[in-house]
Amino acid sequence: MKQKAPVISVWKNMTVQELADAMGKDLDTLYEIFIYVEDSEEYDSPTVAIDNLKVIQDAVKKAGLRFKIDSAPDKKEKSREVKDAFRRPPPLESELIRRPPVVTIMGHVDHGKTTLLDALRHSAIVDTEFGGITQHIGAFSVKLDSGEEVTFLDTPGHAAFREMRARGASVTDVVVLVVAADDGVMEQTKESIQHAVEANVTIVVAINKIDAPGADVVRTREMLLQNGLQLEEDGGEIQAVAISALKGQNLNLLVEAIATQAELLNLRADPRGLVEAVVVESRIDPGRGKVATCVIQRGTLRKGAVLVAGTAWCKVRNMFDDAGQPVKAAPPATPIQVIGWRELPSAGDTVLEVESERRASEVVEWRMREKVKEKQQEGQAAIQEKLNEHLKVYKTQLEEKRRLGIRYRRRQREPRQKENRDDDSGPQVSLVLKGDVDGTLEAILNVLDTYHSQECQLEVISYGVGTVTPSDVTLAAAFNGFIYTFNTEVPADVRKMAAEQGVTIKENNVIYHLVEDLKNEISKILPCKDVEEILGEANVIEEFLITEGKKKVPVAGCRCVKGVLKKDALYRVIRGQDVIHEGMLTSMRHVKSEVASIGKSKECGLKFADESLHFAPGDTLICYKVNQVQQVTDWDPGF
């Protein structure tokens, strides 16, 4: 028994998009149907209302469907209630109390930022940094000898951590710009100045390493002035202190400068109500789970509070200070490690306290829906462009149909192209990236974004924070890729699984080493390139014609003027500025003997494989060979 066609509801003045949705077709298919429907040419946009009911009916029939006339649905959409969480209105003056300053130490790599922080807090942080390089933002609360509490943020100075430095400047009150007196203002110093100025943050300059050979404080001050920082000595408002962080020289003057600026800023905050903070760093700790280091900006954080950051939320299970000691309450300007996150927040996310876990879930769901909506809107322009191209084709077909005068003629269609083409774009390096903390992972990804070479594709198939998992190994094996870890562990069972599946795990704790290793892997799979090696050069003295059988064959009478000429090499014949021939020899003679090579200043006769080639006195012959040389990637990550 023949199955009946489905019935759809239609109504007058329905839009083209509504008709396509009702028919279960995409717009492209509907426009193809319109080619065979009379009076449909004016309905060429998804939002156009079809006021001709016959066009709707005929289109449904052409699609092999049945219809019923129905009333138009109620198009009044209820406005969706905004369920996001926001910062509270500014507090009243009476609610504010004094708070410690948040001070960020910035500057170029190896100018002594972490050493300075060590001296201020009497610790040895620099010994724990791999290669002596700060790999991520550290947040520390320091009690100075003066008794004042100060929150310090130590930001990396290396070029790879540009985004992290930008975040450091955005959450701070005072920037201590460390400039080495023997180096002066360097590239990352300039970027740090730019970030601080853009964030409208007070700057105190610490001219470090005044005890180093080649230290020149005067030159350093001049370089700072050239880069827009007018110091007090030059009639400006920026304090500069010459110090030696390694020897502790003049640190008391630097502390006084910081305290003075904090006093002038009159830093105060509201310690009551719902907490507002910012994520400085996030990571997965093997013993504690997902951990986010936050700096409190408003309110007092306590155990049991429910927080939202981006699309992650947590109920605070525990809190620890930078020394790993448990904390019961964290007032404004306190750096705190928060444990209890369901998902790992991103560094830089705003943290807001909400009333309940239910409210937190509601906020996260809202934000995730908004993210999906943003992606859809981003793709809308591309969709509209494709639609416009389709409409051009549709209108062309419509004009041809009118010209032929045959409205219902079925046309032969071109074969549909494959949606997914096999794209063999040459060599490719695939990798899975696992990092210790979110900010460092972001910095590595930013470095990888600088790779734009067409010779080899670099594909990051997966990345995340935490230890290497079996799924990482499976994914890397599927793409014949590597696993790169950064300062994170590889469990023994995962390491064994990787060995069994032939997956290489490359462990790193310094970003330079990771990038250099990756460059080596890219270079290994690049195809060898042809490189010419010039062996010798000869000048043509005269052309001779020799008889071979019944024909005359030209021979170049030459003198070798450079290097050596080899019989089995390649030759390039140059006349004036033009290359007139490239090819092989069939004979090389010296006097009457066949030889394999000719040295400098000797004469010879050369017969080419191409017997149609003729020579003229003054022609130059270049003898060369082509060597296969392993390529090296031209990727320049900027350091």
Side-chain angles (χ1 to χ4, degrees):
M1 183 176 177
K2 188 176 179 181
Q3 189 174 5
K4 290 186 177 181
V7 179
I8 65 169
S9 295
V10 298
W11 58 92
K12 189 175 180 180
N13 291 323
M14 69 189 309
T15 66
V16 173
Q17 184 66 64
E18 288 171 341
L19 177 58
D21 293 342
M23 294 167 62
K25 309 288 185 184
D26 57 32
L27 285 170
D28 287 357
T29 303
L30 181 56
Y31 284 128
E32 287 182 11
I33 292 171
F34 275 179
I35 293 175
Y36 312 108
V37 176
E38 286 190 69
D39 303 323
S40 61
E41 54 271 14
E42 61 185 285
Y43 308 116
D44 57 1
S45 173
T47 57
V48 171
I50 308 173
D51 54 2
N52 188 338
L53 194 57
K54 189 174 186 307
V55 170
I56 298 174
Q57 295 168 339
D58 288 347
V60 173
K61 290 177 184 177
K62 293 291 182 184
L65 304 171
R66 295 184 298 158
F67 63 86
K68 65 175 181 178
I69 307 298
D70 210 340
S71 58
D74 184 11
K75 294 185 180 180
K76 290 183 181 179
E77 297 182 2
K78 294 182 179 179
S79 59
R80 195 153 55 96
E81 183 184 356
V82 176
K83 296 185 178 180
D84 202 355
F86 302 96
R87 289 181 180 270
R88 290 182 285 152
L92 300 174
E93 285 290 326
S94 59
E95 298 172 339
L96 300 176
I97 62 168
R98 187 171 177 178
R99 66 165 176 84
V102 178
V103 178
T104 297
I105 297 182
M106 285 184 165
H108 190 75
V109 63
D110 199 32
H111 275 201
K113 301 179 301 300
T114 310
T115 305
L116 172 59
L117 192 58
D118 292 347
L120 291 172
R121 63 178 293 190
H122 311 294
S123 64
I125 305 164
V126 74
D127 294 338
T128 69
E129 298 288 359
F130 293 104
I133 304 164
T134 303
Q135 305 287 345
H136 51 79
I137 294 178
F140 309 93
S141 185
V142 178
K143 190 169 222 179
L144 302 176
D145 294 338
S146 62
E148 291 192 43
E149 291 276 350
V150 178
T151 294
F152 281 100
L153 302 183
D154 179 26
T155 65
H158 191 272
F161 301 87
R162 187 175 295 108
E163 294 298 324
M164 297 173 68
R165 286 202 307 279
R167 279 201 301 275
S170 66
V171 298
T172 190
D173 303 309
V174 178
V175 163
V176 173
L177 182 67
V178 180
V179 187
D182 56 344
D183 264 356
V185 175
M186 304 294 282
E187 193 59 39
Q188 278 75 57
T189 316
K190 296 176 184 177
E191 291 179 10
S192 297
I193 293 171
Q194 181 182 350
H195 290 315
V197 171
E198 288 176 354
N200 195 26
V201 177
T202 300
I203 299 174
V204 174
V205 178
I207 301 177
N208 193 23
K209 299 187 180 182
I210 59 173
D211 55 326
D216 190 336
V217 176
V218 175
R219 180 179 68 94
T220 303
R221 292 179 186 275
E222 291 173 352
M223 293 177 73
L224 288 166
L225 182 60
Q226 291 168 4
N227 284 273
L229 292 188
Q230 192 168 10
L231 308 182
E232 284 184 341
E233 291 83 351
D234 302 316
E237 297 181 354
I238 296 175
Q239 289 181 276
V241 183
I243 66 168
S244 170
L246 191 62
K247 295 184 177 180
Q249 186 177 349
N250 294 339
L251 290 189
N252 58 326
L253 299 179
L254 180 62
V255 170
E256 287 177 11
I258 294 171
T260 300
Q261 293 301 324
E263 187 72 31
L264 292 173
L265 291 171
N266 189 26
L267 300 171
R268 296 184 298 165
D270 177 11
R272 297 178 295 179
L274 298 177
V275 168
E276 297 173 11
V278 64
V279 177
V280 174
E281 195 50 272
S282 61
R283 70 183 191 278
I284 296 178
D285 188 291
R288 294 176 174 176
K290 299 179 179 68
V291 181
T293 300
C294 306
V295 174
I296 309 301
Q297 296 175 314
R298 187 177 182 182
T300 300
L301 185 62
R302 292 181 172 83
K303 185 177 177 180
V306 180
L307 307 176
V308 174
T311 55
W313 70 277
C314 86
K315 184 173 183 179
V316 179
R317 193 167 70 243
N318 276 309
M319 299 186 300
F320 299 89
D321 62 17
D322 58 274
Q325 298 302 312
V327 175
K328 293 183 178 180
T334 304
I336 199 77
Q337 297 180 40
V338 179
I339 296 174
W341 295 91
R342 305 299 173 92
E343 298 293 335
L344 202 63
S346 297
D349 282 349
T350 298
V351 180
L352 299 175
E353 183 181 359
V354 293
E355 298 81 2
S356 64
E357 294 182 42
R358 180 177 178 181
R359 172 68 177 133
S361 298
E362 187 178 69
V363 172
V364 168
E365 287 174 7
W366 165 270
R367 291 180 176 179
M368 292 180 72
R369 282 198 303 269
E370 290 299 300
K371 276 193 171 183
V372 171
K373 188 188 295 183
E374 285 176 11
K375 287 183 179 179
Q376 290 174 342
Q377 290 174 349
E378 288 172 2
Q380 193 62 42
I383 294 171
Q384 188 61 44
E385 184 178 351
K386 183 179 178 182
L387 179 60
N388 292 337
E389 291 176 0
H390 178 86
L391 289 175
K392 289 179 183 178
V393 175
Y394 161 67
K395 289 180 178 180
T396 302
Q397 292 175 334
L398 190 61
E399 290 298 325
E400 184 182 358
K401 183 179 71 172
R402 287 173 174 171
R403 181 178 61 80
L404 294 173
I406 306 173
R407 289 191 173 274
Y408 304 106
R409 178 178 175 179
R410 192 173 293 273
R411 298 181 177 273
Q412 181 179 0
R413 298 182 184 175
E414 294 180 0
R416 188 179 181 89
Q417 294 183 344
K418 288 174 66 177
E419 293 291 336
N420 298 312
R421 300 179 180 177
D422 296 330
D423 185 15
D424 184 8
S425 55
Q428 175 173 309
V429 171
S430 301
L431 60 97
V432 173
L433 182 63
K434 299 304 288 281
D436 57 342
V437 294
D438 180 73
T440 305
L441 187 66
E442 179 190 30
I444 297 172
L445 291 172
N446 286 340
V447 172
L448 299 185
D449 284 342
T450 65
Y451 183 84
H452 302 297
S453 176
Q454 300 301 316
E455 297 174 331
C456 175
Q457 298 297 317
L458 178 60
E459 187 71 25
V460 181
I461 52 180
S462 176
Y463 60 88
V465 175
T467 58
V468 181
T469 64
S471 61
D472 294 326
V473 175
T474 303
L475 190 59
F479 284 86
N480 194 27
F482 303 96
I483 297 176
Y484 278 85
T485 71
F486 192 86
N487 199 21
T488 188
E489 296 180 0
V490 181
D493 58 331
V494 174
R495 197 182 296 275
K496 181 180 178 182
M497 177 183 174
E500 292 171 351
Q501 297 194 22
V503 174
T504 302
I505 299 177
K506 295 176 174 287
E507 300 176 67
N508 298 269
N509 49 31
V510 176
I511 193 169
Y512 310 114
H513 299 165
L514 185 151
V515 173
E516 284 303 315
D517 187 272
L518 186 53
K519 288 172 70 174
N520 291 336
E521 292 299 334
I522 293 171
S523 298
K524 283 180 186 177
I525 68 169
L526 290 176
C528 292
K529 63 180 179 180
D530 294 339
V531 177
E532 286 187 9
E533 179 186 354
I534 303 299
L535 302 177
E537 183 180 322
N539 291 335
V540 176
I541 301 171
E542 190 178 350
E543 179 186 79
F544 299 96
L545 295 176
I546 63 172
T547 303
E548 287 189 354
K550 296 182 179 181
K551 60 182 179 179
K552 299 287 187 178
V553 178
V555 173
C558 306
R559 178 182 290 111
C560 181
V561 295
K562 287 183 184 178
V564 63
L565 308 181
K566 291 185 176 292
K567 180 180 177 180
D568 58 355
L570 293 167
Y571 284 81
R572 182 178 295 117
V573 182
I574 301 173
R575 183 170 297 160
Q577 300 296 321
D578 301 323
V579 176
I580 63 171
H581 179 76
E582 290 191 69
M584 301 281 293
L585 302 180
T586 56
S587 176
M588 173 183 282
R589 286 180 177 270
H590 177 60
V591 189
K592 293 184 179 181
S593 303
E594 190 75 22
V595 294
S597 65
I598 290 290
K600 183 179 178 182
S601 300
K602 291 185 178 180
E603 295 182 354
C604 61
L606 303 181
K607 182 161 74 90
F608 280 70
D610 184 355
E611 296 178 353
S612 65
L613 176 64
H614 285 273
F615 306 93
D619 286 351
T620 300
L621 306 184
I622 303 296
C623 175
Y624 67 97
K625 66 177 181 179
V626 177
N627 299 319
Q628 292 282 302
V629 178
Q630 178 63 51
Q631 291 193 73
V632 177
T633 178
D634 59 358
W635 178 25
D636 180 10
F639 54 83

